[in-house]
Amino acid sequence: VDIVSMQDIQQIDRDTHTRKSTTASGSFGLKGGIISEDEWVGGRFYAELSYLKIPKFDMLNVGVDLDLLIKYYETPNYKIGGFIGAGGGMNSAFIADKSLDSGGTKSLISVGWVNVGLVRFVYFHSTGIHGAELNAKIVYVTPTIYSLKDKNTGITTSYKGSSSTIMLSYTYQF
């Protein structure tokens, strides 16, 4: 689930009118990478690809993450821990609202985030290592995804979108 904060900015010369709105939207994606763990700490590096539908836009996110893994408790079959990390990548915005002119779309937008893992539950089984994670991704860059100046009126319309995420993920290690 993504919590999206959108800013609709209209600017006439030095006069700026900003409307802010917040919505929640579903997203889906994939992650893949490498992991290394010691007795109590570990690390992982992975790439991710995700899709998000927000008001007026469809977003595609590609990024890389680096997380520090911390183990709290372990039995022969289970392991519970948490993680914290940072990541960055690029977003591409595609217009979903026909009233917007495609000329204002920003093609590649840089974005950065911080990952905080509230729960990291791992189950060891003969079929592989299965896990579940509850993750909060906090975006610290609010990129402009659309900006266009109307030639007739001189009004610039811009949209900024920031998407912080709460994810429940299934993981499989092989």
Short mmCIF file of all heavy atoms in Angstrom, two decimals, residues 28-32 45-52 58-65 86-94 107-113 137 139 143:
data_model
loop_
_atom_site.label_atom_id
_atom_site.label_comp_id
_atom_site.label_asym_id
_atom_site.label_seq_id
_atom_site.Cartn_x
_atom_site.Cartn_y
_atom_site.Cartn_z
N PHE A 28 2.32 -3.03 -6.84
CA PHE A 28 2.92 -4.35 -6.83
C PHE A 28 4.29 -4.27 -7.48
O PHE A 28 4.58 -3.35 -8.24
CB PHE A 28 2.03 -5.39 -7.53
CG PHE A 28 1.75 -5.09 -8.97
CD1 PHE A 28 2.58 -5.56 -9.96
CD2 PHE A 28 0.66 -4.31 -9.34
CE1 PHE A 28 2.33 -5.29 -11.29
CE2 PHE A 28 0.40 -4.03 -10.66
CZ PHE A 28 1.24 -4.53 -11.65
N GLY A 29 5.14 -5.23 -7.14
CA GLY A 29 6.49 -5.20 -7.69
C GLY A 29 7.28 -6.45 -7.35
O GLY A 29 6.78 -7.38 -6.72
N LEU A 30 8.53 -6.44 -7.77
CA LEU A 30 9.46 -7.54 -7.55
C LEU A 30 10.78 -7.01 -7.02
O LEU A 30 11.18 -5.89 -7.34
CB LEU A 30 9.74 -8.28 -8.86
CG LEU A 30 8.56 -8.97 -9.53
CD1 LEU A 30 8.95 -9.40 -10.93
CD2 LEU A 30 8.14 -10.18 -8.71
N LYS A 31 11.47 -7.84 -6.22
CA LYS A 31 12.80 -7.52 -5.72
C LYS A 31 13.68 -8.74 -5.93
O LYS A 31 13.21 -9.86 -5.82
CB LYS A 31 12.77 -7.19 -4.23
CG LYS A 31 11.94 -5.99 -3.87
CD LYS A 31 11.94 -5.78 -2.37
CE LYS A 31 11.07 -4.62 -1.99
NZ LYS A 31 11.06 -4.38 -0.55
N GLY A 32 14.95 -8.51 -6.18
CA GLY A 32 15.89 -9.60 -6.30
C GLY A 32 17.29 -9.12 -5.97
O GLY A 32 17.66 -8.00 -6.32
N PHE A 45 21.80 -6.52 -0.58
CA PHE A 45 21.79 -5.55 -1.67
C PHE A 45 20.82 -6.10 -2.71
O PHE A 45 20.92 -7.26 -3.08
CB PHE A 45 23.19 -5.42 -2.27
CG PHE A 45 23.24 -4.53 -3.48
CD1 PHE A 45 23.17 -3.16 -3.36
CD2 PHE A 45 23.35 -5.09 -4.74
CE1 PHE A 45 23.21 -2.35 -4.48
CE2 PHE A 45 23.38 -4.29 -5.87
CZ PHE A 45 23.31 -2.91 -5.73
N TYR A 46 19.88 -5.28 -3.15
CA TYR A 46 18.89 -5.79 -4.09
C TYR A 46 18.37 -4.67 -4.99
O TYR A 46 18.47 -3.50 -4.69
CB TYR A 46 17.74 -6.49 -3.38
CG TYR A 46 17.02 -5.66 -2.35
CD1 TYR A 46 15.85 -4.95 -2.67
CD2 TYR A 46 17.48 -5.58 -1.05
CE1 TYR A 46 15.19 -4.20 -1.73
CE2 TYR A 46 16.82 -4.83 -0.10
CZ TYR A 46 15.68 -4.14 -0.44
OH TYR A 46 15.03 -3.39 0.50
N ALA A 47 17.83 -5.11 -6.11
CA ALA A 47 17.18 -4.20 -7.05
C ALA A 47 15.68 -4.42 -6.96
O ALA A 47 15.22 -5.50 -6.58
CB ALA A 47 17.67 -4.48 -8.47
N GLU A 48 14.92 -3.39 -7.28
CA GLU A 48 13.47 -3.51 -7.22
C GLU A 48 12.82 -2.83 -8.41
O GLU A 48 13.36 -1.89 -8.99
CB GLU A 48 12.91 -2.95 -5.92
CG GLU A 48 13.10 -1.47 -5.74
CD GLU A 48 12.46 -0.97 -4.46
OE1 GLU A 48 13.11 -1.03 -3.41
OE2 GLU A 48 11.30 -0.52 -4.53
N LEU A 49 11.66 -3.34 -8.75
CA LEU A 49 10.83 -2.80 -9.83
C LEU A 49 9.40 -2.81 -9.32
O LEU A 49 8.93 -3.84 -8.82
CB LEU A 49 10.95 -3.66 -11.09
CG LEU A 49 10.00 -3.33 -12.23
CD1 LEU A 49 10.37 -1.99 -12.87
CD2 LEU A 49 10.04 -4.42 -13.28
N SER A 50 8.71 -1.67 -9.39
CA SER A 50 7.33 -1.63 -8.91
C SER A 50 6.48 -0.70 -9.76
O SER A 50 7.00 0.20 -10.43
CB SER A 50 7.27 -1.21 -7.44
OG SER A 50 7.79 0.09 -7.27
N TYR A 51 5.17 -0.93 -9.70
CA TYR A 51 4.18 -0.14 -10.42
C TYR A 51 3.19 0.44 -9.42
O TYR A 51 2.79 -0.24 -8.47
CB TYR A 51 3.43 -1.01 -11.44
CG TYR A 51 2.19 -0.35 -11.98
CD1 TYR A 51 2.28 0.59 -13.00
CD2 TYR A 51 0.95 -0.65 -11.46
CE1 TYR A 51 1.14 1.21 -13.49
CE2 TYR A 51 -0.20 -0.03 -11.95
CZ TYR A 51 -0.10 0.89 -12.96
OH TYR A 51 -1.22 1.51 -13.43
N LEU A 52 2.81 1.69 -9.62
CA LEU A 52 1.89 2.37 -8.73
C LEU A 52 0.92 3.22 -9.53
O LEU A 52 1.32 3.93 -10.44
CB LEU A 52 2.68 3.26 -7.77
CG LEU A 52 1.91 4.26 -6.90
CD1 LEU A 52 1.05 3.53 -5.89
CD2 LEU A 52 2.89 5.18 -6.20
N ASP A 58 0.25 7.06 -13.81
CA ASP A 58 0.75 5.72 -13.54
C ASP A 58 2.25 5.87 -13.35
O ASP A 58 2.92 6.53 -14.15
CB ASP A 58 0.47 4.78 -14.71
CG ASP A 58 -1.02 4.56 -14.93
OD1 ASP A 58 -1.74 4.41 -13.94
OD2 ASP A 58 -1.44 4.54 -16.10
N MET A 59 2.80 5.24 -12.31
CA MET A 59 4.23 5.39 -12.01
C MET A 59 4.93 4.03 -12.10
O MET A 59 4.41 3.03 -11.62
CB MET A 59 4.42 5.95 -10.60
CG MET A 59 3.81 7.30 -10.37
SD MET A 59 4.66 8.63 -11.17
CE MET A 59 6.19 8.64 -10.29
N LEU A 60 6.11 4.03 -12.67
CA LEU A 60 6.98 2.87 -12.72
C LEU A 60 8.25 3.24 -11.98
O LEU A 60 8.87 4.27 -12.28
CB LEU A 60 7.27 2.49 -14.17
CG LEU A 60 8.03 1.20 -14.39
CD1 LEU A 60 7.22 0.01 -13.89
CD2 LEU A 60 8.35 1.02 -15.85
N ASN A 61 8.64 2.45 -10.98
CA ASN A 61 9.80 2.73 -10.15
C ASN A 61 10.85 1.63 -10.33
O ASN A 61 10.53 0.46 -10.25
CB ASN A 61 9.38 2.82 -8.68
CG ASN A 61 10.56 3.00 -7.76
OD1 ASN A 61 11.41 3.84 -7.99
ND2 ASN A 61 10.61 2.20 -6.72
N VAL A 62 12.09 2.04 -10.55
CA VAL A 62 13.24 1.13 -10.61
C VAL A 62 14.26 1.66 -9.63
O VAL A 62 14.58 2.86 -9.63
CB VAL A 62 13.85 1.08 -12.03
CG1 VAL A 62 15.05 0.17 -12.07
CG2 VAL A 62 12.81 0.65 -13.04
N GLY A 63 14.78 0.79 -8.76
CA GLY A 63 15.73 1.27 -7.77
C GLY A 63 16.62 0.18 -7.22
O GLY A 63 16.46 -1.00 -7.53
N VAL A 64 17.58 0.60 -6.41
CA VAL A 64 18.48 -0.31 -5.70
C VAL A 64 18.45 0.05 -4.22
O VAL A 64 18.25 1.21 -3.85
CB VAL A 64 19.93 -0.26 -6.24
CG1 VAL A 64 20.00 -0.82 -7.64
CG2 VAL A 64 20.49 1.14 -6.21
N ASP A 65 18.63 -0.96 -3.38
CA ASP A 65 18.57 -0.78 -1.92
C ASP A 65 19.73 -1.50 -1.26
O ASP A 65 20.22 -2.53 -1.75
CB ASP A 65 17.27 -1.38 -1.38
CG ASP A 65 16.04 -0.69 -1.88
OD1 ASP A 65 15.57 -1.01 -2.98
OD2 ASP A 65 15.53 0.17 -1.16
N ALA A 86 18.75 2.13 3.06
CA ALA A 86 18.49 3.27 2.19
C ALA A 86 18.49 2.79 0.75
O ALA A 86 19.06 1.75 0.42
CB ALA A 86 19.55 4.35 2.39
N GLY A 87 17.83 3.56 -0.09
CA GLY A 87 17.77 3.20 -1.50
C GLY A 87 17.53 4.43 -2.35
O GLY A 87 17.25 5.52 -1.85
N GLY A 88 17.64 4.22 -3.62
CA GLY A 88 17.39 5.30 -4.57
C GLY A 88 17.13 4.71 -5.93
O GLY A 88 17.40 3.53 -6.18
N GLY A 89 16.58 5.52 -6.79
CA GLY A 89 16.28 5.04 -8.12
C GLY A 89 15.65 6.10 -8.99
O GLY A 89 15.79 7.29 -8.74
N MET A 90 14.94 5.62 -9.97
CA MET A 90 14.29 6.49 -10.94
C MET A 90 12.83 6.12 -11.06
O MET A 90 12.47 4.95 -11.02
CB MET A 90 14.95 6.35 -12.31
CG MET A 90 16.43 6.65 -12.35
SD MET A 90 16.83 8.31 -11.89
CE MET A 90 16.55 9.15 -13.43
N ASN A 91 11.99 7.14 -11.21
CA ASN A 91 10.57 6.95 -11.49
C ASN A 91 10.27 7.43 -12.90
O ASN A 91 10.88 8.40 -13.36
CB ASN A 91 9.69 7.76 -10.53
CG ASN A 91 9.60 7.16 -9.16
OD1 ASN A 91 9.91 5.99 -8.98
ND2 ASN A 91 9.16 7.93 -8.21
N SER A 92 9.35 6.79 -13.54
CA SER A 92 8.80 7.28 -14.80
C SER A 92 7.30 7.47 -14.59
O SER A 92 6.63 6.59 -14.08
CB SER A 92 9.01 6.27 -15.93
OG SER A 92 10.35 6.30 -16.35
N ALA A 93 6.81 8.65 -14.96
CA ALA A 93 5.39 8.95 -14.82
C ALA A 93 4.72 8.89 -16.19
O ALA A 93 5.26 9.41 -17.16
CB ALA A 93 5.21 10.34 -14.22
N PHE A 94 3.58 8.25 -16.23
CA PHE A 94 2.78 8.16 -17.45
C PHE A 94 1.42 8.77 -17.15
O PHE A 94 0.81 8.47 -16.13
CB PHE A 94 2.62 6.71 -17.90
CG PHE A 94 3.93 6.00 -18.09
CD1 PHE A 94 4.45 5.20 -17.08
CD2 PHE A 94 4.66 6.15 -19.26
CE1 PHE A 94 5.66 4.56 -17.24
CE2 PHE A 94 5.87 5.51 -19.42
CZ PHE A 94 6.37 4.71 -18.41
N SER A 107 10.29 12.51 -17.98
CA SER A 107 10.52 11.11 -18.36
C SER A 107 11.19 10.29 -17.27
O SER A 107 10.72 9.23 -16.91
CB SER A 107 11.32 11.04 -19.65
OG SER A 107 12.53 11.74 -19.51
N LEU A 108 12.29 10.75 -16.71
CA LEU A 108 12.97 10.02 -15.64
C LEU A 108 13.18 10.97 -14.47
O LEU A 108 13.74 12.04 -14.62
CB LEU A 108 14.32 9.48 -16.11
CG LEU A 108 14.26 8.34 -17.12
CD1 LEU A 108 15.66 7.99 -17.60
CD2 LEU A 108 13.61 7.11 -16.51
N ILE A 109 12.71 10.56 -13.31
CA ILE A 109 12.74 11.40 -12.13
C ILE A 109 13.52 10.67 -11.05
O ILE A 109 13.19 9.54 -10.69
CB ILE A 109 11.30 11.66 -11.64
CG1 ILE A 109 10.44 12.21 -12.77
CG2 ILE A 109 11.28 12.59 -10.45
CD1 ILE A 109 9.07 11.63 -12.82
N SER A 110 14.55 11.30 -10.49
CA SER A 110 15.31 10.64 -9.43
C SER A 110 14.55 10.74 -8.12
O SER A 110 13.87 11.73 -7.84
CB SER A 110 16.70 11.27 -9.30
OG SER A 110 16.59 12.64 -9.00
N VAL A 111 14.66 9.70 -7.32
CA VAL A 111 13.96 9.64 -6.04
C VAL A 111 14.82 8.83 -5.06
O VAL A 111 15.57 7.95 -5.46
CB VAL A 111 12.54 9.03 -6.22
CG1 VAL A 111 12.60 7.60 -6.69
CG2 VAL A 111 11.70 9.16 -4.98
N GLY A 112 14.74 9.18 -3.77
CA GLY A 112 15.49 8.46 -2.74
C GLY A 112 14.58 8.11 -1.59
O GLY A 112 13.56 8.75 -1.36
N TRP A 113 14.95 7.06 -0.82
CA TRP A 113 14.09 6.61 0.28
C TRP A 113 14.90 5.95 1.37
O TRP A 113 16.06 5.60 1.19
CB TRP A 113 13.01 5.65 -0.22
CG TRP A 113 13.53 4.47 -0.99
CD1 TRP A 113 14.06 3.32 -0.51
CD2 TRP A 113 13.58 4.36 -2.42
NE1 TRP A 113 14.44 2.49 -1.53
CE2 TRP A 113 14.14 3.11 -2.72
CE3 TRP A 113 13.20 5.18 -3.46
CZ2 TRP A 113 14.35 2.67 -4.03
CZ3 TRP A 113 13.39 4.74 -4.76
CH2 TRP A 113 13.96 3.49 -5.02
N LYS A 137 8.71 2.16 3.72
CA LYS A 137 9.64 2.89 2.86
C LYS A 137 9.25 4.36 2.92
O LYS A 137 8.15 4.73 2.52
CB LYS A 137 9.56 2.38 1.42
CG LYS A 137 10.53 3.09 0.49
CD LYS A 137 10.27 2.77 -0.96
CE LYS A 137 10.69 1.39 -1.33
NZ LYS A 137 10.57 1.15 -2.77
N VAL A 139 9.92 8.07 1.71
CA VAL A 139 10.53 8.82 0.62
C VAL A 139 10.96 10.19 1.15
O VAL A 139 10.17 10.89 1.79
CB VAL A 139 9.54 8.97 -0.56
CG1 VAL A 139 10.12 9.84 -1.65
CG2 VAL A 139 9.17 7.61 -1.11
N PRO A 143 9.66 14.48 -6.00
CA PRO A 143 10.00 14.89 -7.37
C PRO A 143 8.83 15.54 -8.10
O PRO A 143 7.67 15.26 -7.82
CB PRO A 143 10.38 13.58 -8.04
CG PRO A 143 9.57 12.55 -7.32
CD PRO A 143 9.45 13.04 -5.90
#
